[in-house]
Every structure is written in C-alpha cells, then in structure tokens.
C-alpha cells in the first residue's frame, strides 16, 4: 500500500523535472541580514511551486544549506535530526576525500561553494518556458528577495536550453526511479511497465517509509519551538516535523571537457598509419558510457546505435552480459546503476532490491557558458532522503571506486577524478580484453553544496520572524 | 603456507597517562604505521593496528580501565610474531607500552619484552580469515604475477587477439616460464601444516560430538533460554543516542585513504549472567562457523572482509570487534544490514544499547539508522593502522589467486576462456 503523498506541501522539483520549462537558472544566495532575509524569503514563499500541478509557465523552488538554516534562526541543538553530511557540508575535508574532490577538483578552486568564495546559504531554482520568461522571472525574484539587501547573489548559474543530450553528446536522464505514490509510478504500475523502477517515496521525501519500511532521520523540533502550529506533528508524539515533505538536494557544477574527451577518443582509436577511425572512435565512446549517443543500451545494441531503443531502460546485466562483453564492466551506466549485478546473488530480486536503496532522482541541467568554445558542463542536481546512503554511496562506492565490480585501477572512465592514481578502462572481449591505460580526466568539479529542500509549511516556518524567546 | 593468527596484546593504561599514550600513537600514525613499526619487514603481517580503548562503564555502570591494544593478522604463530616485532621495532613499542604496569624498563633484554607482550596476549573468542592459508607473500606475489601477465598481454595484444584462447594461454605460460622471478608460479601454493589441518579436522568433528552428548541437556535448556531471551529483549532499552559530531569527525578523518579501512568497536555486555553466557555461547558458534564453513572468501554473505575478530576484555564485561574491510564505512554497514543482519544481531544484541531485536536474530540491525548510529557511537579511532596490500580488495586477491591457479595445468576449452576472462 503506497503512502498518500502530500503534493501540495512538497516542492515541485521532487515531483517533476519541469521538462516543459526549457530554460532555467540557479541563483546562489548569501544571507547578510538574517531578519531581513526571513522577510524577503517570506515574500518569495507564495511564489514557490508545489508538486500539485505541472506549472505551465514558470516554477520557483528554494533550498538552504546547513549554514543558511542556522542563520535563519534554527540553532544547534535543534539541528539534531539533520544528518552529519548535511551539517558538515560538501566541502568538509573528509567528505572531499570521500567524494574525490581533491587535486584539481578541490573546493579551494571552486567557482562557488568553496572556501575561497562567499558562503552559499540558499539557492533559488528558477524555471521558465522561454528565455524571455526566465529573464522576467529572475528580475522578479531579485526584486522580491534581493532589493532589501538582506540577501546577496553570489553567482547566477545559467543553463543551456533543455535538450535530451548532455555536452558529451549522449542522451541523458533515461533511467530515473519512479517514486511510489506519484502519478507516473501509479500509471506505470497500472500499465505493467514499472518493472523494478518503483522506489518507496521515503527514499526521496522525508516523512514517508523508505525501502527499509522506516522513516529516515529528519529534523524534529520540540513543540514549543512551533507554538504557532505551522508544522505538522509527528504521528506518535508532540514534536513538530520540520522535515516532512522535504528532501536533500545535492548540487554540483561539473565542467565537461568536451575537447579533451574527443581528442582522447581520436588518439585512442587512430589507425597505425595515423588516419582516424570514426567507427572505432564512436564505439569506444559508447563503451565508456554504456549507451550509444542516441540512448540505446549496449546490452541490447552491442554493435551500433538503435533509434528504436533510444529510451530502452528495461534490462539487467546478469543474464545477458555477466562478463561485460557487450557493455564493459566499468562502463559509466553500469556503475551509476548496477541494476541486478550486485552481491549477494547477482541476477536475483535481492540484488535489485539492494540497488533500490541507492537510487537518486536526477534533476540536472546542462550549461554552456561564454558561447562557442566556452565552458560546458552539467549542473548536476539530485534529490535523496539519505545523502550518505544514496548520492555519496554512488559517488564513492560505484563511480569513483577503482576496484568496482572486481576491476583494478579502474574508476569511472567518464566522470571520475584521476588525482594521480592510475586510471584504466578495460573493454572485455574474447579471447582478449583491451586495456586502455592512463585515461585523462574529462569532468571536473567547479562548485557544489548540499541543500535541504523543505516542504512548503516548513519553508513558511523557516521564513517567519523569530519571536521573543526563540519561539515562532 | 602457514595458517593465519590473530595477535592481540592488551595492556591497561593508568588514567593519568592516557593522553601521553594517545599522543605517542597519534605521532606514529602521522609518521606512518609502516615507517614506524617497519611491518613490511616483519614476517607475514597482513594488517596491524594500535589504538587506545578508552575507559568506560560496563553493563552495570562500573568503570573499566582504559587500555592500549596492538592487533595484527599474521602468517606465523603469535610468539614468533612478537619476537620479530620486538626485534624490528622494539624502541617504538617501548614508547607505546612504557606507561603500562610492569613493562620492562630501559636496559631490559628483547626476551623480557617479548615475555611481557606474551603475558598480555588476549585470545580471540572468534577469528574470521577471508581465505585460510593464503599468506601475505602469496597475496603480494600473485598481485605481481597478474600485473606481469597483463603487461605482457598489453604489449602483444595485436598479434594475440587473433589467436585461439588456448594459444593465448600458451603464450602467457611461455612468458611466465621465461621469467626467473616468477618461477614460484609454476607450483601450487602449499597447504597449511599437516598438524594444523589435523587439529582443525578434530575440531570439526569433536564439537558436534560433544554437542551430541549434551543434547538431552540442550533440549531442555533451549526453550527456557528462548523464553528468557524474549523477556530480556522486551525489557532492554535501546539507545537512541546519536554519535557525537566530534567523534564522527575524528573517525572520518582516518577513513577512505585506500581500498580498505579498519574497523574497531568496543561495547559493554548487558548486565547479568544470562547475557554473558548467551554471548559466550554465540561466539563459540561463530568461532566454529568461521573455522569450518566461512573460510573461503565469504562471511555469511559478506565478501568484503579480509579479517575480523571478536574478543572479550575486562573479564567479559566488554567486547571488542575489529575488522579490515573493503570500501567505505557506509557500504560496510549497508552490507551488514542487507546481508548478515541476523548474525550481527545474535552477537551485538547482547551489547548495551543495541537496537531492539526479536528472538535474538530478527529486527536489530534492520532498524537502519539506529544501527548505524550505534556502530558509529561504539567505533574507535585506529591511531595506527597498516595494510600490506592497501590497493587490493578481497575480490582482487581472489582473482589474482585464480589467475595463478589456472595458469599451468590442464584446462578445458571453456575453462581456458573463463581463465582468460579473469585478465
């Protein structure tokens, strides 16, 4: 029995990626005057888009870093219930090591979110149908939120018009979990097309049962802290639930070095006489990704791209390709979502069930700054209820792990940092594999932060002025 | 090839000296465990650690003293290892144990030091070895062999990729045969000593026989015990405490540098004889299980653990669990919950504050975050930690062994293909 989700209280980004709103920008904000910031954000709150209906023209969502929440007046020990990774933040040195944000990826080089740039306290996520609409929305949001001077805009992260392709040229966003209780999951189940993709709502939204049948830790406040009764109460107690209908937003700006990627592919596949081999080049790129540029998975289309399979997401690895002869064991999609290849007993329902505890809702948008030849990349955004078990696990244990799947010296060929370690990509084959040694780095981190994306009631609570004695 | 031993030397530290010992250990950790104690030169050390176990209350609230612990997993008998270690790093051991009662002072002989260490040795209640009999030298050799073969195949890929699997394998055999430094690869790894194997076989048979003799007693005792377990479980109070932030930060600052991490935790046994007897019995069963069933790359479904040990301290008032595992703590804890929650529950539910269990094995670790908070709260920083092969996972070690095992000798066509797929 699926829990009934309170779509009116959830921010819309949990429910949908706003595919119809093809233009987006993200404003990173710093709080300079907490009282003024609460007022300004409070005025913005009515504009915040809920999950109820698909917004036709524009959407606004708001999220806060741990410092941001503290500045809005939620002091420790009331932070209890927020997880350590959120409290310490993405740039904590221990997290940087875990995430691979070292060497040239280190936070000190970041454009935003690192120690060398002003602190990020909040992000306004803005979406519009067209470019002009986005301009108007930005002007409006700035007028409401920034005019009084209590909030400062640190950086505006623009995006490219939404397409199906990411900057390396591959169709993106094909595999997404279906959130139990949301219309798409319900429809897919009714049609029988849901497969293994339906995941408990509590994996993405706080306050609902997760894949363990439990509620993930979330910030709860003793009821005197919410004397006005703005927040829902926990079912079996009097605590006010600040987390209910909220989620954690992981935001990372990932620069994609498209030139380096292309020239690596050219060099790696050049004939001995120095001429290029476009077919081999495209095949190598596809094997590094695990899908063809058009989207077809190598497990089903090992030899060439297949437009009929552009959004094919109905496959596992164990039965068809246990040894990686079609899709290499170290390919990007095989690591980001190992499907049925995990212990114990790969190929079993248990294996898939374990994988379901490590899913994320991806909400990223590509960007291209400074015209042709300028920086390109992805504003990677994802939502999850447990950053450690979901986003960080995928990043550390699957993508960056040089020993993933029994491999050696083999982090993700596409997205992993290299940081002075050997980086090998192996294409399994009979009788003999091909090892490609010393892969260069193609993706680097330019900024990032962990945000809490509160439910709408929690948002109103956070933006309400603190009364005498810290009560609201 | 010898079997593996678990070395544990544990010595009480006067409370006033705890900070001094911690500083000595931290300094050794900063300089590097391998540099300070030269473990690479000590025969057969797989892993080693030194840490401070803080004093703390037992199940009844009585304070237990702080102690400093040395643990290692080695291919030689305990006494041989301790003598080797004193010879190689006696001065450094002096610094660590100097504050402990009765430690031989300056001018004492190596023999006196070894005798003191041996007198402070604590046996394990249970000791898991990923693959019994696979020694450090074998692991390092086989890693080198695999790398040599891989490089050979890289150099000759163009001419070999058109050949049959059997021809490719023959080319590899010829290459390895031509390398004097890989001559060992032409024979199989030796088995553990015959005497040890006989003793193990006797244990395998002897324990069930003894159990058979006790069967009438067990038949009566088990239902009574089950009722008592349920009664205790209903009464026990799970801890809701979350680990302190500073504690978590210190732990995290020592994790995720290589492919493996060490895990050490200490906890108080719940008060009363019932829990102490239950835990003793459970660990006896665990010991039997890891000796005879879980000794080939798999601890009840978890394959990523190189070594693990359970031991009583403070007169069975507290328990230490220590392991060396692959990957991050998060993935380790997820493995526990997803694959072996029942086993953890059976042991750790006898520890104070553990999440509530039902019938000893149900519930418990399945309460995901309560369990993770519990583990983090009881985890201890390993001030000094050494791994002889810190880029190799258990999976890698196993593949390397299979590469060596299948290199020479007769293989079917399918076997030859499967062997080549390892590379």
């Amino acid at each position: 029995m699926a829990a009934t989700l309170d779509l009116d209280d959830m921010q819309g980004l949990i429910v949908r990626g706003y595919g119809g709103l093809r233009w987006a920008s993200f404003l990173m904000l710093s709080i300079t005057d907490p009282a003024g910031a609460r007022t300004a954000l409070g005025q913005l709150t009515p504009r915040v888009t809920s999950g109820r209906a698909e917004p036709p023209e524009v959407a606004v969502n708001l999220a806060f870093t741990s410092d941001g929440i503290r500045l809005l007046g939620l002091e420790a020990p009331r932070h209890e219930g927020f997880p350590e990774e959120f409290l310490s933040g993405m740039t904590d040195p221990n997290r940087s090591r875990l995430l691979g944000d070292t060497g040239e990826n280190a936070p000190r080089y970041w454009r935003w979110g690192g120690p060398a740039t002003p602190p990020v306290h909040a992000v306004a996520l803005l979406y519009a149908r067209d470019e002009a609409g986005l301009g108007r929305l930005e002007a409006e949001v700035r007028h409401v939120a920034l005019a009084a001077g209590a909030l400062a805009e640190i950086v505006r992260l623009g995006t490219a018009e939404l397409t199906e392709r990411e900057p390396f040229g591959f169709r993106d966003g094909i595999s997404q979990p279906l959130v139990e209780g949301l219309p798409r999951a319900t429809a897919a189940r009714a049609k029988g097309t849901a497969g293994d993709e339906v995941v408990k709502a509590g994996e993405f939204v706080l306050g609902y049962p997760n894949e363990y049948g439990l509620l993930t830790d979330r910030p709860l406040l003793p009821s005197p802290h919410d004397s006005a009764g703005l927040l829902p109460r926990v079912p079996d107690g009097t605590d006010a639930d600040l987390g209910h209908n909220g989620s954690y937003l992981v935001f990372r700006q990932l620069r994609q070095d498209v030139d380096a990627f292309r020239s690596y592919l050219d060099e790696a596949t050049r004939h001995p006489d120095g001429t290029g081999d476009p077919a081999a080049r495209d095949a190598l790129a596809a094997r590094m990704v695990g899908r063809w540029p058009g989207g077809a998975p190598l497990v089903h289309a090992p030899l060439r791209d297949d437009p009929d399979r552009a959004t094919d997401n109905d496959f596992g690895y164990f039965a068809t390709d246990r040894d990686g002869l079609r899709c290499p064991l170290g390919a990007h999609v095989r690591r980001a979502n190992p499907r049925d290849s995990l212990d114990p007993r790969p190929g079993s329902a248990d294996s898939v069930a374990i994988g379901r505890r490590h899913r994320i809702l991806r909400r990223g948008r590509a960007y291209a700054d400074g015209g042709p030849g300028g920086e390109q990349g992805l504003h990677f955004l994802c939502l999850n209820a447990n950053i450690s078990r979901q986003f960080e696990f995928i990043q550390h244990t699957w993508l960056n792990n040089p020993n993933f799947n029994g491999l050696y010296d083999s982090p993700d060929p596409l997205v992993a940092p290299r940081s002075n370690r050997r980086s090998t990509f192996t294409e399994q084959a009979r009788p003999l594999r091909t090892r490609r040694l010393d892969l260069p780095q193609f993706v680097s981190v330019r900024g990032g932060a962990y945000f809490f994306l509160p439910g709408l009631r929690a948002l109103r609570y956070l933006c309400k002025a603190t009364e005498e004695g810290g009560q609201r | 090839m010898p079997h593996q031993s678990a070395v544990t030397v544990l010595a009480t530290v006067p409370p006033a000296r705890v900070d001094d010992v911690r500083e000595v250990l931290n300094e050794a950790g900063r300089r590097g465990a391998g540099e300070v104690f030269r473990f690479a030169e000590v025969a057969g050390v797989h892993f080693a650690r030194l840490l401070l176990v803080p004093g703390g209350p037992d199940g009844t609230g009585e304070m237990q003293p702080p102690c400093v612990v040395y643990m290692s997993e080695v291919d030689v008998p305990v006494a041989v290892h301790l003598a080797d270690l004193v010879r190689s790093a006696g001065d450094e051991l002096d610094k660590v144990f100097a504050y402990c009662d009765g430690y031989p002072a300056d001018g004492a002989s190596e023999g006196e030091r070894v005798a003191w260490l041996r007198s402070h040795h604590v046996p394990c209640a249970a000791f898991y070895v990923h693959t019994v009999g696979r020694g450090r030298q074998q692991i390092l050799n086989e890693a080198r062999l695999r790398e040599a073969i891989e490089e050979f195949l890289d150099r000759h890929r163009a001419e070999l990729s058109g050949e049959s699997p059997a021809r490719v394998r023959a080319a590899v055999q010829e290459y390895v045969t031509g390398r004097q430094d890989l001559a060992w690869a032409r024979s199989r790894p030796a088995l553990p000593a015959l005497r040890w194997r006989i003793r193990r076989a006797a244990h395998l048979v002897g324990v069930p026989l003894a159990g058979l003799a006790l069967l009438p007693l067990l038949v009566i005792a088990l239902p009574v015990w089950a009722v008592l377990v349920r009664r205790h479980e209903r009464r026990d109070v799970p801890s809701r405490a979350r680990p302190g932030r500073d504690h978590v930060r210190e732990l995290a600052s020592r994790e995720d540098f290589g492919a493996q991490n060490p895990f050490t935790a200490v906890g108080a046994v719940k008060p009363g004889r019932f829990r102490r007897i239950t835990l003793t019995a459970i660990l006896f069963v665990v010991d039997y299980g890891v000796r005879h069933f879980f000794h080939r790359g798999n601890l009840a479904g978890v394959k990523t653990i190189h070594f693990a040990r359970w031991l009583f301290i403070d007169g069975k008032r507290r328990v230490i669990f220590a392991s060396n595992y692959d990957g991050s703590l998060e993935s380790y804890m997820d493995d526990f919950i997803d694959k072996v929650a029942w086993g953890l529950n059976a042991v750790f539910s006898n520890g104070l504050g553990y999440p509530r269990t039902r019938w000893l094995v149900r519930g418990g670790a399945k309460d995901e975050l309560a369990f993770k908070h519990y583990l983090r709260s009881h985890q201890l920083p390993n001030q000094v930690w050494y791994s002889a092969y810190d880029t190799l996972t258990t999976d890698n070690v196993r593949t390397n062994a299979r590469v060596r095992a299948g290199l020479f000798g007769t293989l079917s066509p399918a076997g030859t293909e499967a062997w080549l797929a390892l590379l």
Side-chain angles (χ1 to χ4, degrees):
Chain A
M1 182 61 204
T4 307
L5 304 185
D6 186 355
L7 299 183
D8 291 315
D9 193 42
M10 277 178 205
Q11 295 205 42
L13 194 63
I14 298 176
V15 180
R16 50 183 68 87
Y18 304 129
L21 307 178
R22 307 181 76 78
W23 292 83
S25 68
F26 310 116
L27 307 182
M28 295 293 162
L29 307 174
S30 199
I31 295 172
T32 51
D33 161 25
R38 277 195 297 268
T39 310
L41 292 168
Q43 282 162 0
L44 193 57
T45 301
R47 298 295 316 265
V48 171
T49 310
S50 86
R52 177 54 63 189
E54 176 103 49
E57 292 297 329
V58 294
V60 176
N61 285 138
L62 269 180
F64 302 91
T65 62
S66 135
D67 282 344
I69 287 180
R70 194 173 46 77
L71 280 173
L72 289 178
L74 205 67
E75 288 294 339
R78 282 183 267 166
H79 267 117
E80 235 183 65
F82 282 120
E84 174 59 28
E85 61 275 18
F86 174 68
L87 293 179
S88 62
M90 192 185 280
T91 59
D92 174 85
N94 298 328
R95 302 230 95 70
S96 291
R97 191 170 63 253
L98 183 87
L99 296 171
D101 295 344
T102 54
E104 63 177 286
N105 277 356
R108 66 176 179 279
Y109 303 120
W110 288 2
R111 249 184 98 197
W112 61 272
T117 53
V120 172
H121 296 136
V123 57
L125 309 144
L126 311 179
Y127 300 84
R129 177 164 291 283
D130 52 40
E131 198 170 8
L134 183 65
R136 285 193 298 277
L137 180 63
E138 274 179 29
E140 199 181 337
V141 167
R142 285 184 175 127
H143 178 73
V144 174
L146 307 180
L151 287 157
E153 184 177 313
I154 296 165
V155 64
R156 172 194 181 273
L157 303 174
T159 66
E161 184 178 3
L162 182 64
T163 67
E164 284 160 346
R165 306 273 177 128
E166 51 73 54
F168 287 140
F170 287 79
R171 190 185 183 101
D172 197 12
I174 302 167
S175 171
Q176 288 274 25
L178 295 167
V179 182
E180 188 178 65
L182 289 186
R184 279 183 55 223
T186 312
R189 275 203 169 149
K191 277 197 297 182
T193 57
D196 297 318
E197 296 294 293
V198 178
V199 178
K200 294 273 185 232
E203 292 292 310
F204 312 104
V205 201
L206 298 172
Y208 299 90
N210 62 23
E211 282 287 326
Y212 286 109
L214 301 167
L215 300 181
T216 303
D217 278 1
R218 60 211 189 284
L220 303 178
L221 310 177
S223 69
H225 290 294
D226 178 33
S227 53
L230 292 173
L231 298 172
R233 294 297 186 262
V234 295
D236 51 354
T238 57
D239 283 353
D241 192 342
L242 185 68
H244 197 66
N245 290 320
S247 186
Y248 292 101
L249 170 71
V250 176
F251 197 133
R252 284 164 78 79
Q253 181 177 355
L254 304 176
R255 183 174 83 99
Q256 295 177 246
D257 194 338
V258 177
D259 291 340
F261 184 58
R262 292 205 177 124
S263 61
Y264 173 77
L265 293 170
D266 283 334
E267 285 305 317
T269 55
R270 211 177 279 286
H271 290 300
D273 66 5
T275 56
D277 183 344
R281 180 194 63 202
D282 296 349
L284 174 58
R287 282 200 283 272
M288 287 165 74
V289 174
R291 287 183 186 267
W292 293 93
L298 264 66
V299 167
H300 283 162
L303 299 178
R304 63 193 66 81
D305 206 345
D306 179 354
D308 292 340
R309 294 190 175 277
T311 58
D312 181 0
N313 198 35
D314 185 17
F315 59 92
Y317 294 107
F318 185 76
T320 38
D321 192 29
R322 190 190 329 186
D323 298 326
L325 298 176
R326 295 171 168 215
C327 177
L329 297 176
H332 175 68
V333 301
R334 213 168 163 143
R335 324 171 71 111
N337 182 7
R339 296 169 192 260
D340 63 344
S341 44
L342 301 174
D343 269 338
R345 289 184 291 117
S348 70
D350 277 2
S351 170
V352 177
I354 286 176
R356 268 203 298 274
R357 292 166 193 152
H358 306 289
R359 299 301 302 272
I360 50 175
L361 276 177
R362 290 181 294 151
R363 294 289 184 248
R365 297 249 172 163
Y367 69 90
D369 287 347
E375 182 178 320
Q376 283 179 276
L378 180 72
H379 291 308
F380 172 89
L381 283 80
C382 79
L383 295 166
N384 51 190
N386 185 334
I387 300 173
S388 279
R389 173 157 62 75
Q390 295 170 273
F391 165 72
E392 288 185 347
F393 184 98
I394 295 172
Q395 177 85 4
H396 177 271
T397 302
W398 291 347
L399 295 181
N400 290 353
N401 181 0
N403 309 97
F404 174 79
N405 226 340
L407 299 166
Y408 300 76
D409 302 321
S410 300
D412 189 294
L414 196 68
V415 305
R418 308 299 183 223
S419 52
N420 301 327
R421 293 164 80 164
R422 295 172 61 183
S423 188
T424 304
F425 177 59
T426 304
E427 297 166 65
Q428 287 77 26
R430 296 275 192 262
L432 256 195
R433 86 289 180 281
T434 302
R435 282 209 308 176
R436 303 194 183 272
L437 304 174
D438 303 319
L439 261 66
Q441 181 166 320
F442 305 119
V443 172
S444 45
V445 188
R446 303 279 283 132
Y450 290 147
F451 294 93
F452 173 56
L453 183 90
L456 292 178
R457 275 177 290 184
L459 184 60
R460 285 191 285 273
Y461 172 85
L462 287 169
C463 298
K464 193 165 160 38
T466 313
E467 291 160 17
E468 287 296 309
Q471 299 192 345
R472 297 184 196 217
Chain B
M1 186 57 63
H3 63 277
Q4 283 66 52
S5 323
V7 181
T8 309
V9 175
L10 182 145
T12 304
V13 177
R17 294 306 199 167
V18 164
D19 290 340
D20 297 322
V21 175
R22 187 182 290 115
E23 191 35 53
V24 169
L25 295 178
N26 279 335
E27 176 59 23
R30 275 192 291 274
R31 282 165 59 202
E35 301 289 317
V36 174
F37 296 96
R38 311 219 308 267
F39 287 119
E41 296 161 33
V42 182
V45 179
H46 293 250
F47 297 92
R49 74 186 75 185
L50 279 143
L51 69 145
L52 197 82
V53 177
D58 68 6
T60 63
E62 194 183 317
M63 286 305 281
Q64 301 303 313
C67 50
V68 60
V69 186
Y70 167 73
M71 290 189 257
S72 58
E73 289 81 8
V74 299
D75 294 330
V76 297
V78 172
V80 175
H81 171 70
L82 290 176
D84 281 356
L85 188 64
V86 167
R87 210 170 303 129
S88 141
D91 294 350
E92 300 294 336
L93 289 177
D94 283 358
K95 288 186 206 162
V96 174
F97 292 108
Y99 304 108
C100 300
D101 248 7
Y103 187 75
D106 286 343
S109 68
E110 277 184 5
E112 286 169 280
R113 286 182 167 75
V114 175
W116 187 89
L117 292 172
R118 286 182 66 178
S119 71
H120 286 77
H121 188 262
V122 181
C124 291
F127 177 45
Y128 167 77
V129 178
H130 181 266
T131 304
V132 171
R134 192 180 287 157
R136 177 181 77 172
Q137 198 54 50
Q138 182 187 342
I139 289 171
L140 295 175
N141 281 346
E142 287 170 350
R144 211 155 45 83
L145 173 69
R146 180 194 151 273
E147 195 50 47
I149 295 175
E150 296 279 16
E151 282 166 11
F152 169 77
L153 292 176
D154 285 343
R155 285 196 300 275
H156 299 276
R157 203 186 67 81
E159 64 258 36
L160 289 176
S161 53
E163 298 286 349
S164 71
R167 292 291 298 273
V168 176
R169 180 163 172 260
V172 174
Q173 288 170 337
E174 193 186 333
Y175 170 68
V176 172
T177 307
R179 282 212 19 194
Q180 271 311 305
D181 60 326
L182 300 178
W184 53 267
R186 285 147 70 182
S187 56
R188 294 186 165 277
L191 293 170
L194 182 65
R195 215 172 57 168
W196 181 82
R197 281 182 285 149
I198 291 171
R199 267 178 43 202
R200 199 171 73 147
H203 187 268
L204 173 67
V205 180
V207 168
L209 282 180
L212 215 56
L214 290 173
L215 195 60
L217 201 67
L218 289 175
V219 168
I220 299 167
L222 267 177
V224 177
W225 175 82
V227 169
L228 285 174
V229 161
R230 275 312 282 158
R231 195 191 292 172
H232 277 86
E233 286 177 334
R234 291 214 177 89
R235 221 167 34 200
D236 292 344
V237 185
S239 162
R240 302 307 310 175
R242 294 162 59 101
R245 289 198 63 197
D246 290 342
H247 178 64
V248 171
R249 294 170 89 83
E250 189 186 357
L251 293 168
S253 72
R254 300 172 190 276
E255 288 170 351
D256 304 318
F257 287 89
Q260 311 143 351
N261 277 309
F263 182 87
T264 313
V266 66
V269 181
K270 284 172 178 169
R273 256 196 318 190
F274 176 78
R275 286 295 189 179
R276 199 165 64 236
I277 293 169
T278 300
L279 182 56
T280 305
I282 295 282
L283 286 179
F284 181 83
V285 174
V286 170
D287 175 58
Y288 188 79
V290 296
R291 277 184 200 222
H292 302 297
F293 301 108
F294 301 121
H295 59 99
R296 286 258 172 267
N298 177 342
L299 180 55
V302 178
K303 298 177 182 168
T304 52
I305 299 175
H306 295 260
F307 295 95
R309 68 178 76 185
W310 296 256
L311 53 107
F312 286 106
I313 61 169
D314 302 324
K316 291 203 172 178
R317 289 185 179 85
R318 293 198 290 171
V319 170
I320 289 177
F321 171 75
S323 65
N324 297 283
Y325 65 93
D326 296 330
S328 70
L329 185 76
E330 181 69 25
S331 65
Y332 189 49
M333 295 193 295
D334 287 344
D335 270 358
F336 278 164
I337 299 168
D338 294 335
K339 295 167 191 169
V340 69
W342 60 271
L344 281 150
N345 291 345
V347 176
F348 291 106
S349 69
N350 300 294
L352 204 64
Y354 192 78
R356 193 179 297 285
T357 47
R358 298 186 307 280
W359 302 110
L360 204 67
V361 292
R362 302 181 60 115
K366 290 285 179 190
D367 190 347
E368 181 208 354
L369 288 172
F371 172 72
K372 288 177 177 174
H373 294 329
Y374 175 86
L375 279 198
R376 266 299 199 203
S377 299
H378 289 79
Q379 199 186 344
L380 299 174
N382 297 287
Q383 283 92 6
V384 176
W385 180 65
Y386 168 81
S387 165
Y389 37 86
D390 67 355
T391 59
L392 297 178
T393 61
T394 56
D395 221 357
N396 294 154
V397 171
R398 182 169 160 270
T399 304
N400 296 345
R402 290 171 64 200
V403 168
R404 187 254 188 101
L407 176 55
F408 292 98
T410 317
L411 285 183
S412 66
T416 306
E417 271 205 0
W419 182 80
L420 275 177
L422 297 171
L423 295 163

